[in-house]
Amino acid sequence: MKTFEERKKEADAIIEKYLRKEDGPDKTLIEAMNYSVRAGGKRLRPILLQSFGLMYGAEEERIEPFMAAIEMIHTYSLVHDDLPAMDNDMLRRGQPTTHAKYGAGMATLAGDGLLSDAHDIMCEAMNKALLGKEDPSESIDDVISAIYATSFISHNSGVDGMVGGQSLDVETDKLGRDVTGEELTYIYSHKTSALIIGAMMAGAVLGGSELGDDLNLIGQAGNKIGYAFQIRDDILDIEGDEKVLGKETGQDERNGKSNFVTIHGIENSEEAVEAFTEDAKTDIANLRHVKDEEERLFVMDLFDRLTERNH
């Protein structure tokens, strides 16, 4: 079984294949898009998509475009999240944010471009599935799974998912008040968990997982691990090392923004991370139709790694 570091290198290489060439009249825009993606990061969402695909027996070639697409969507969300109109962050992953390097206007367009390219890549994957066999009737399962994968990613990245969570986050900031526990749950389950859920479910359906019990459990696990991941981020915003994190700490405190730690305290937050992680692992252990047990173990180990991290 490959290590996380090997998976990350593989994901980087796959994503790179789908980046645009930096030429033409819109060269600066494409440079800004590629700069944003190449800034790095954990590549969590494409790795989860890949692992769930392999867990259910997907061919690696069919997974790759969706890996690139979901990372582009995640990257666009970070580019926009860093903008002056939102979090106004100047540093991400140890280097200037996209708007700090290219300006707010170009950064906005870079995010728009990445979102559009992500859907273009997924549509092309559907077209390829349709034309993949000499007999079109033999392609139907591949086409349907590609449609479902695209739907899971699109739904969870939009108003009913990530963007919806971001909107409430922005609105409560604008009102200048602390979020309630109910609002925080909504923000975390949408802004953070939703795209993780989309990655996991898209991978599984590309591997042939049918709609039903396993996908429901995968969705539950994604929500829980996303919540644990975000609480861990809140803890690191207070206790983390800026040099290790590659971004400024104490942002929420400086902005007068409440989070799970400010509401519940460090000790309770640590306990919540552990509880959500263990529950998510239990959901994965209870999946019934897994074809590759090593991939199941990889995912469970990855959950631990994500929620015990120092960056």
Side-chain angles (χ1 to χ4, degrees):
M1 183 169 62
K2 294 177 182 177
T3 65
F4 176 81
E5 286 73 19
E6 289 171 330
R7 292 289 180 95
K8 184 180 178 303
K9 287 181 181 178
E10 190 171 42
D12 283 335
I14 289 167
I15 293 162
E16 185 69 26
K17 290 195 298 185
Y18 289 88
L19 299 184
R20 290 175 177 265
K21 293 182 179 179
E22 297 174 1
D23 55 22
D26 52 4
K27 179 181 178 182
T28 302
L29 169 62
I30 296 168
E31 285 179 356
M33 291 165 63
N34 291 349
Y35 172 83
S36 305
V37 175
R38 288 172 177 153
K42 301 171 188 66
R43 306 302 193 202
L44 165 62
R45 291 147 195 85
I47 290 173
L48 281 171
L49 193 153
Q50 179 187 48
S51 191
F52 275 87
L54 297 176
M55 193 189 300
Y56 284 90
E59 298 175 1
E60 293 197 37
E61 183 180 353
R62 294 201 62 226
I63 306 170
E64 290 186 1
F66 295 92
M67 292 173 65
I70 202 162
E71 186 65 14
M72 288 180 181
I73 292 172
H74 173 59
T75 301
Y76 116 78
S77 76
L78 299 181
V79 172
H80 283 189
D81 217 28
D82 289 336
L83 287 168
M86 294 184 72
D87 287 350
N88 196 25
D89 283 325
M90 302 300 290
L91 193 68
R92 181 174 288 277
R93 296 166 179 163
Q95 62 186 46
T97 53
T98 307
H99 77 85
K101 185 174 177 67
Y102 289 94
M106 194 60 72
T108 302
L109 292 172
D112 295 343
L114 288 169
L115 177 60
S116 298
D117 275 3
H119 284 90
D120 193 31
I121 288 166
M122 291 189 288
C123 287
E124 183 59 32
M126 284 188 270
N127 289 336
K128 188 174 182 180
L130 181 63
L131 302 172
K133 306 260 176 45
E134 289 187 14
D135 182 352
S137 65
E138 295 178 1
S139 299
I140 192 67
D141 287 343
D142 287 352
V143 174
I144 291 172
S145 65
I147 291 171
Y148 271 123
T150 302
S151 176
F152 287 142
I153 292 172
S154 296
H155 177 82
N156 282 285
S157 63
V159 175
D160 292 322
M162 179 182 68
V163 173
Q166 288 175 315
S167 72
L168 183 57
D169 197 20
V170 168
E171 185 174 11
T172 52
D173 276 356
K174 183 178 179 182
L175 293 173
R177 63 166 175 82
D178 290 342
V179 296
T180 65
E182 184 178 352
E183 287 172 333
L184 196 67
T185 297
Y186 183 90
I187 291 169
Y188 285 14
S189 64
H190 288 71
K191 184 176 179 179
T192 305
S193 292
L195 203 54
I196 290 173
I197 293 169
M200 291 162 57
M201 293 180 74
V205 78
L206 286 168
S209 177
E210 297 181 359
L211 304 181
D213 291 344
D214 268 17
L215 279 181
N216 290 336
L217 274 177
I218 290 168
Q220 291 175 26
N223 190 42
K224 292 167 186 173
I225 204 62
Y227 212 91
F229 184 87
Q230 184 59 56
I231 298 171
R232 185 64 184 150
D233 259 7
D234 293 346
I235 294 169
L236 290 172
D237 188 57
I238 294 171
E239 296 188 335
D241 184 331
E242 289 189 5
K243 292 181 180 179
V244 176
L245 290 170
K247 62 180 181 180
E248 294 177 314
T249 58
Q251 284 285 80
D252 286 350
E253 183 179 3
R254 282 193 295 275
N255 295 330
K257 186 175 180 180
S258 57
N259 58 37
F260 196 93
V261 176
T262 62
I263 294 173
H264 299 284
I266 288 285
E267 185 175 344
N268 288 334
S269 297
E270 293 279 10
E271 290 174 359
V273 169
E274 184 176 354
F276 279 121
T277 303
E278 289 305 314
D279 283 353
K281 287 165 62 180
T282 298
D283 288 336
I284 300 303
N286 288 333
L287 296 175
R288 296 173 58 195
H289 303 294
V290 168
K291 295 179 181 178
D292 190 328
E293 289 296 333
E294 282 195 354
E295 289 299 327
R296 189 202 305 258
L297 292 175
F298 174 82
V299 167
M300 294 169 73
D301 287 343
L302 178 57
F303 284 1
D304 282 331
R305 180 189 184 99
L306 293 173
T307 53
E308 293 171 358
R309 72 191 193 284
N310 63 355
H311 66 281

